[in-house]
Amino acid sequence: MNLLPKPQSETGLLAEKLDDSEPCRLIASRSAVLRRRSRHGRSLRSPASQGFGMRSTSALRSAVFVLTASILLATSPRASAEDMLKARLAQNLGPISGLAIVASAKGIFAKKGLDISVSNFTSGKQCLDTVLGGGADFATTAEAPVTAAAMAQQPIAFVAGMEYSDLKTMTAASAGIKTKADLRGKRIAFTAGTGSEVYTSVLLKAAGLTPKDVTLVNLRPQEMLPAMAAGSIDAFDTWEPHVANAKKALGEGAIPLDTKGLYSETFNIVVTQSYLAANPAIVSKFLASLIEAEGWLKANPGEAIDVIATATGMKRDELASIWPDYVYHVRLDDRILTTLKTHAAWRLETGNHPPGASMPDFSKVLVTGPLKALDPARVTLEARP
């Protein structure tokens, strides 16, 4: 479903629902609203009509990226207001978007000459849908919406990963689940259409089980803790901070299952191919901002926790307790490619894809030029996409 954010009043905040299956929180400042009203929607032309392709990028366009990158990395004074390049970011408001949050809060985007208006959502799918619908230019999103869009032949350009973290399983102490094999016959909650569903599939295979050996319950992450507290489920599979929240609320009544390293969810930056072709300087400046934010975050972890906790509405001590779970690194690597292919294979295996879909050609989705021009060491794709 490609939906644009509804017009907002000039008073500031608006809560609305973009997807019937999941609540959404959209937050925009008054100035951002006015900026969006003054912008015209962009035409989402096909890659062919833009003359843009991963393998067929011309030497001239590559030179543009290299030149842009060299300019970005040079020391320069802050751009004047009239020189700022405007762009719109659809952002999942959570610690997984930490680098974008830091880049905005610490003025790094502005330092790079960008005027970024941010709309906050509760899922990466809503962010990517908003970009594909023309309501934003950049999306922060996980691999699930990316593979769905790729299989639907949407003209997306995956320009960088910026974070990854392991998905986890929390169990009810009363369920007596000590090992993965103990999941047999249990009621397990997951979130359909997200990395949680793929993680659940991988978890069952690792346990030597099939979906028929358990009872799967489709819940949103925020519904899992109440369901476990009520005794409706025996375990749930999701991402932080929902696992930590369950442990804090249920105490000894909740026991995490050891699944470390089983499945990592990535969080990434995606634009449309037409936007990338038309705005290489903005994309390069955006990625350069994230790289600088990464450096600042790693040098100032205490203050970074303060900034991200404040932005996301989390308590500082709660974020600090799970801070090591978030791996912030701007890159394009084989880990990302493996996760995308695992997710796409799951879609093909389960039939959760458009009719006639096949394994996507990720060489047409992963676009290495902009990041490689900024820092070649951050692009380490060795396997063929």
Side-chain angles (χ1 to χ4, degrees), residues 203-264:
L203 173 60
L204 291 178
K205 287 181 179 179
L209 304 174
T210 71
K212 294 180 180 179
D213 295 319
V214 299
T215 299
L216 295 175
V217 183
N218 181 19
L219 296 175
R220 293 173 293 183
Q222 60 267 36
E223 297 172 333
M224 293 176 176
L225 170 55
M228 181 171 284
S232 302
I233 58 174
D234 302 306
F236 63 77
D237 299 337
T238 193
W239 49 84
E240 294 288 11
H242 303 288
V243 176
N245 290 344
K247 185 62 180 176
K248 182 176 181 179
L250 300 179
E252 294 182 356
I255 301 175
L257 183 65
D258 182 10
T259 62
K260 186 173 180 59
L262 190 63
Y263 183 89
S264 293

Side-chain angles (χ1 to χ4, degrees), residues 126-139:
Q126 292 162 342
C127 295
L128 187 54
D129 283 348
T130 301
V131 165
L132 289 171
D137 306 310
F138 292 84

Side-chain angles (χ1 to χ4, degrees), residues 167 190-202 237 346 350 352:
L167 269 68
F190 72 103
T191 304
T194 71
S196 166
E197 186 168 9
V198 184
Y199 165 75
T200 299
S201 175
V202 173
D237 299 337
W346 165 80
T350 60
N352 188 356

Side-chain angles (χ1 to χ4, degrees), residues 182-345:
D182 294 334
L183 291 169
R184 183 183 296 274
K186 305 302 184 183
R187 299 163 297 174
I188 305 173
F190 72 103
T191 304
T194 71
S196 166
E197 186 168 9
V198 184
Y199 165 75
T200 299
S201 175
V202 173
L203 173 60
L204 291 178
K205 287 181 179 179
L209 304 174
T210 71
K212 294 180 180 179
D213 295 319
V214 299
T215 299
L216 295 175
V217 183
N218 181 19
L219 296 175
R220 293 173 293 183
Q222 60 267 36
E223 297 172 333
M224 293 176 176
L225 170 55
M228 181 171 284
S232 302
I233 58 174
D234 302 306
F236 63 77
D237 299 337
T238 193
W239 49 84
E240 294 288 11
H242 303 288
V243 176
N245 290 344
K247 185 62 180 176
K248 182 176 181 179
L250 300 179
E252 294 182 356
I255 301 175
L257 183 65
D258 182 10
T259 62
K260 186 173 180 59
L262 190 63
Y263 183 89
S264 293
E265 182 175 62
T266 65
F267 219 64
N268 315 292
I269 299 297
V270 177
V271 298
T272 62
Q273 291 189 12
S274 58
Y275 183 84
L276 175 60
N279 301 279
I282 294 179
V283 173
S284 290
K285 286 175 180 287
F286 192 96
L287 295 181
S289 298
L290 295 184
I291 291 172
E292 184 168 329
E294 177 192 322
W296 182 89
L297 179 147
K298 291 178 178 177
N300 304 276
E303 189 177 351
I305 292 173
D306 291 335
V307 169
I308 296 172
T310 298
T312 58
M314 294 181 65
K315 293 182 179 179
R316 188 193 188 283
D317 61 338
E318 293 178 354
L319 178 56
S321 69
I322 58 175
W323 184 251
D325 290 338
Y326 298 101
V327 182
Y328 297 105
H329 184 45
V330 181
R331 83 280 179 217
L332 285 169
D333 59 8
D334 287 334
R335 185 180 193 129
I336 288 174
L337 179 58
T338 296
T339 301
L340 288 171
K341 287 186 172 180
T342 298
H343 206 287

